[in-house]
Amino acid sequence: MMSYDIQKNLKSIRRDEHIPASTDQRSPQGSMQWFLENRSDTHPIHNNNALQFFMCGKEGFGSIASDIDKASHSVDLVCWGFDPAMELVRKPGKWGQRGETFGDLLARKSKQGVKIRLLIWKDLVGSAKQGNMIGYISPSLWHTPDGIEKQRLDHCIAWWKGIQYGEYPNIEVRTRSVPSSDARHSLAKNFPDMSSTLLEKLLTEQVATHHQKPVLIDYEHPDPSRAVGYVMGLNSITDYWDSSSHIFNDHCREADYLQDRAGSVIRKPYRDYAIRVQGEALYSLNQNFSKAWDNVKTELGKPLLNGALLGSRAKVSAGSLSSSCTAGHRCQIVRTQPQEQDATIWESYQLALSNAIQYIYAENQYFFLPEWAQGIKQIRKANQTGYLNGKVVKKDIPPLYVFIVIPNPEDRGMVPRTYSTVAELGAGDQFPTYQAGAEQATKVINTPPPSRDYYDGDVGTIPNPGPRDIVDNQHLSDIKAIRRELQQLGIEVLVAMLQSFDDNGASKSKSSEERYREIYIHSKLMLIDDTFTTLGSANLSPRSMAGDSELNLITEDPGFTSNARARVWGNLAGGDLSGGGGSRNEIAQTHKKWKDRMDKNYGGQSNSEAFEDGSFIVPFRDTGGSAMRVR
């Protein structure tokens, strides 16, 4: 069992505050710390911002395309990957007929005199595996393309060649990678007790990525109201486009055109978010971009002089950016940056958990962080002790409701970490095969052998004890004990996944299994108590919290968070299960009704029934994975 202690970590994260008691009432008044006040010298807390919340690529990419189209000065893109052939705004149809491509949009703006800067992650091994620069790296990954697929690839190849040959003089592309030594140091510092397999160490240390995705438009425009930015989880790759309707076969999504038989298969739905930013926080987005831009020494393999973008933009202050912003949203930009040993995203997660009283909603692509689940229980135990010391009767302590929405692991290698995190919250049986293995391994470990001959090797060696993850976390196999612990702590947990239903009447001949598709969750969203929101590029995994570079926005804004919660929940679970006004009773009833709807949706699949109220939620259940996909 890990020795993670959130209270110990909070001592350096949380700023100590001394609050005088009122002389007449003898009672103090204070407020919770949601921002990293101890890090405000390097990560300023920005008070004057206008934040706008977008669900999925149709909304997010559509807004980005509109802002780029209106740009008159500059466009700065930080990308995990870039696909010149993706269309940001689409109408149904085949590629080439749906809308202007991202590459063409940037080329058009560059010819209008707008300076375009792309900062992209590129690694010799990782990029060849991931194909994150479509048409520039490993075109052979596109299995002997034909037809429309080949047209897309040819478009990408031609665009990159245009960049290299100077056809777009106002477009500059720089690439960067993460030194493995920096990733190793950061992981060891922030997760000192984490044991890893050789494959995990390879992925987290040797193939660490720059996974940030912020956008900055017209930062130096004379009119500060024209400056705008985005913080998001969306990658600038065509697969990440989808609408919040998550239509089973939406012809606005990309298709795989099959060579061995006629027809095509529309790729699965994708879930993600973006936040549009105006105001002071653009200052921090520029600091992140300009420092990284200046540190790059090559442009697509060509040596270049160290830049001076940060210095040239010094005249733009946070104050000047806030002068035209009256919305008043407060926010802070937090990062994972191994080269600078910056792990403020992980710190912000821990601080936020310490404040949770009513509910926690986490929607995340990779749920690989048992410390996150352990932290919830440790904080809850401390809070419960405080209640009891204050003479509150235990039955009167309000429950904490936890909503978890995650995708199925894409690869068997992703199961152990996901299982460990989910099992910490009493849902290990939603991994039936792995749970059975955990129980069997625990029996082997705890059962005395009949004789010395039972061992294969030295005395004291456990024969075939199962995955190392199970050996290190024997306590997770006892689901009943964990659920008793959660019940005693007053923690109510649900774990859901998302599916889309094929309601096309012509498809009723399909088997029940063929009428449901998983909605792939690429999201990195957490909401707490209608007060706190964090959104960005960071997954709930050690590599996102310490090994890769990541960027999130956090905000302590009840109006923004409650609106986001109502939109997200209403979209996923149905309009009647949005959480209403967010009162304690409404959240409690919504949590219960989510479980009921999840079970009903799942039960109706044997008869090919549509989901209730257009919802997507079903109980999470591990069913196996496909090919490894690192990001």
Side-chain angles (χ1 to χ4, degrees):
M1 184 174 178
M2 297 181 184
S3 58
Y4 170 69
D5 184 351
I6 191 172
Q7 298 288 3
K8 180 180 177 181
N9 289 357
L10 286 171
K11 289 180 180 178
S12 64
I13 296 171
R14 185 188 284 136
R15 181 177 64 81
D16 290 335
E17 190 169 7
H18 301 282
I19 306 173
S22 169
T23 55
D24 54 341
Q25 298 181 4
R26 298 184 180 180
S27 60
Q29 292 184 342
S31 60
M32 289 181 172
Q33 288 181 38
W34 292 97
F35 294 118
L36 298 177
E37 297 180 15
N38 276 350
R39 308 290 182 260
S40 60
D41 56 336
T42 54
H43 299 73
I45 299 166
H46 300 292
N47 295 318
N48 297 305
N49 303 278
L51 305 179
Q52 189 174 359
F53 184 80
F54 295 111
M55 290 198 301
C56 300
K58 181 178 181 180
E59 290 184 10
F61 287 132
S63 181
I64 290 170
S66 176
D67 282 328
I68 291 177
D69 191 53
K70 290 180 283 191
S72 61
H73 191 276
S74 62
V75 175
D76 305 321
L77 299 170
V78 182
C79 306
W80 168 82
F82 185 73
D83 179 355
M86 78 171 293
E87 307 102 329
L88 298 180
V89 179
R90 306 180 181 186
K91 58 185 179 181
K94 295 181 179 181
W95 181 85
Q97 304 169 2
R98 296 184 306 199
E100 185 177 34
T101 68
F102 206 166
D104 287 347
L105 171 61
L106 296 182
R108 176 166 62 83
K109 295 305 296 184
S110 75
K111 292 176 181 177
Q112 295 173 6
V114 176
K115 178 65 179 180
I116 312 291
R117 300 179 184 88
L118 275 75
L119 183 62
I120 308 174
W121 168 66
K122 178 174 172 285
D123 178 85
L124 182 62
V125 175
S127 292
K129 170 69 175 175
Q130 295 298 300
N132 65 311
M133 295 175 69
I134 310 299
Y136 181 79
I137 295 176
S138 300
S140 61
L141 290 175
W142 291 62
H143 53 91
T144 59
D146 194 10
I148 293 175
E149 192 172 317
K150 185 175 187 300
Q151 293 176 37
R152 287 195 77 258
L153 179 57
D154 288 345
H155 182 279
C156 293
I157 292 173
W159 191 86
W160 288 112
K161 285 183 178 178
I163 297 294
Q164 291 178 298
Y165 296 154
E167 294 179 18
Y168 316 120
N170 278 322
I171 299 181
E172 187 176 356
V173 181
R174 298 186 183 184
T175 60
R176 59 177 181 162
S177 60
V178 179
S180 59
S181 58
D182 291 336
R184 187 182 309 113
H185 183 200
S186 183
L187 285 159
K189 177 182 177 181
N190 291 283
F191 298 97
D193 300 313
M194 184 183 74
S195 60
S196 302
T197 65
L198 289 176
L199 178 58
E200 283 180 314
K201 287 183 72 67
L202 173 65
L203 293 176
T204 56
E205 296 178 6
Q206 301 300 319
V207 195
T209 74
H210 282 291
H211 196 234
Q212 299 180 350
K213 299 101 189 282
V215 177
L216 199 57
I217 300 169
D218 277 351
Y219 181 73
E220 296 178 273
H221 197 284
D223 179 0
S225 67
R226 295 286 299 274
V228 63
Y230 289 82
V231 175
M232 57 189 184
L234 291 164
N235 282 317
S236 298
I237 304 288
T238 195
D239 283 5
Y240 296 84
W241 191 100
D242 197 10
S243 74
S244 58
S245 300
H246 298 305
I247 298 169
F248 187 90
N249 273 324
D250 188 341
H251 287 271
C252 285
R253 292 201 304 272
E254 211 59 67
D256 289 319
Y257 295 88
L258 308 178
Q259 299 179 44
D260 56 342
R261 61 183 189 276
S264 62
V265 175
I266 303 297
R267 295 178 190 171
K268 67 168 63 175
Y270 257 69
R271 185 82 185 173
D272 214 332
Y273 304 93
I275 292 178
R276 185 179 187 266
V277 183
Q278 285 187 289
E280 292 181 11
L282 297 179
Y283 176 84
S284 290
L285 292 183
N286 174 65
Q287 291 286 306
N288 175 76
F289 174 78
S290 293
K291 285 182 181 178
W293 184 261
D294 290 349
N295 285 337
V296 174
K297 302 298 190 294
T298 62
E299 178 184 352
L300 293 183
K302 301 175 184 177
L304 51 79
L305 297 176
N306 198 18
L309 184 61
L310 185 63
S312 69
R313 289 184 167 183
K315 61 182 180 295
V316 181
S317 67
S320 66
L321 291 164
S322 70
S323 61
S324 62
C325 183
T326 59
H329 294 137
R330 301 184 73 216
C331 65
Q332 187 175 28
I333 301 299
V334 289
R335 305 187 306 164
T336 304
Q337 192 77 315
Q339 295 96 320
E340 300 176 28
Q341 294 303 297
D342 184 344
T344 45
I345 294 178
W346 177 222
E347 290 183 341
S348 70
Y349 263 85
Q350 294 174 93
L351 182 62
L353 290 183
S354 74
N355 291 331
I357 296 174
Q358 186 175 348
Y359 77 83
I360 299 171
Y361 176 80
E363 183 183 326
N364 208 279
Q365 178 187 17
Y366 293 150
F367 206 60
F368 294 177
L369 205 58
E371 292 89 342
W372 183 84
Q374 292 166 5
I376 293 174
K377 294 190 288 187
Q378 291 172 14
I379 289 294
R380 183 67 180 178
K381 186 174 182 179
N383 289 348
Q384 193 175 77
T385 300
Y387 277 121
L388 296 175
N389 289 342
K391 308 304 180 185
V392 177
V393 180
K394 190 169 184 178
K395 67 180 180 61
D396 293 334
I397 301 174
L400 174 67
Y401 295 96
V402 180
F403 300 74
I404 297 169
V405 182
I406 56 176
N408 233 303
E410 303 158 63
D411 184 88
R412 293 296 81 198
M414 297 178 177
V415 169
R417 292 280 181 212
T418 314
Y419 167 81
S420 294
T421 309
V422 169
E424 286 281 0
L425 294 172
D429 56 348
Q430 292 182 248
F431 287 81
T433 302
Y434 201 85
Q435 177 65 30
E439 293 170 355
Q440 180 59 36
T442 300
K443 289 178 183 178
V444 171
I445 292 169
N446 295 330
T447 301
S451 68
R452 289 172 60 96
D453 297 334
Y454 180 76
Y455 290 105
D456 179 17
D458 296 334
V459 174
T461 302
I462 300 171
N464 301 320
R468 176 63 182 272
D469 176 78
I470 294 176
V471 178
D472 290 344
N473 297 284
Q474 295 179 54
H475 68 291
L476 298 179
S477 66
D478 192 342
I479 295 177
K480 292 181 179 179
I482 295 175
R483 288 178 176 167
R484 283 195 300 270
E485 176 191 23
L486 294 170
Q487 185 177 26
Q488 291 169 359
L489 293 172
I491 300 175
E492 300 280 349
V493 180
L494 67 80
V495 185
M497 60 187 293
L498 307 178
Q499 289 185 340
S500 179
F501 173 69
D502 180 9
D503 58 359
N504 184 346
S507 303
K508 290 183 178 178
S509 59
K510 293 181 179 179
S511 67
S512 60
E513 293 83 3
E514 291 179 311
R515 299 200 68 190
Y516 302 90
R517 299 185 74 181
E518 181 186 11
I519 299 169
Y520 187 74
I521 298 167
H522 189 256
S523 321
K524 300 92 170 53
L525 173 69
M526 186 170 74
L527 309 170
I528 295 180
D529 290 353
D530 271 13
T531 301
F532 176 85
T533 300
T534 183
L535 176 69
S537 65
N539 294 304
L540 273 170
S541 67
R543 66 177 295 165
S544 276
M545 298 299 171
D548 293 350
S549 78
E550 308 279 6
L551 187 141
N552 273 34
L553 179 147
I554 63 175
T555 181
E556 174 215 10
D557 191 286
F560 180 87
T561 303
S562 62
N563 288 336
R565 180 264 303 158
R567 284 197 68 200
V568 172
W569 292 10
N571 176 243
L572 297 184
D576 58 329
L577 299 187
S578 67
S583 68
R584 186 172 295 282
N585 182 61
E586 286 173 304
I587 296 299
Q589 289 300 311
T590 299
H591 194 271
K592 179 182 182 302
K593 290 178 179 179
W594 266 53
K595 285 186 173 181
D596 293 341
R597 181 155 293 171
M598 288 158 57
D599 291 339
K600 187 167 184 179
N601 285 345
Y602 182 75
Q605 291 188 3
S606 59
N607 296 319
S608 293
E609 295 177 6
F611 291 162
E612 277 198 326
D613 199 34
S615 61
F616 303 115
I617 53 173
V618 294
F620 172 85
R621 190 170 180 84
D622 173 45
T623 58
S626 56
M628 171 67 82
R629 182 181 190 144
V630 180
R631 305 306 289 157

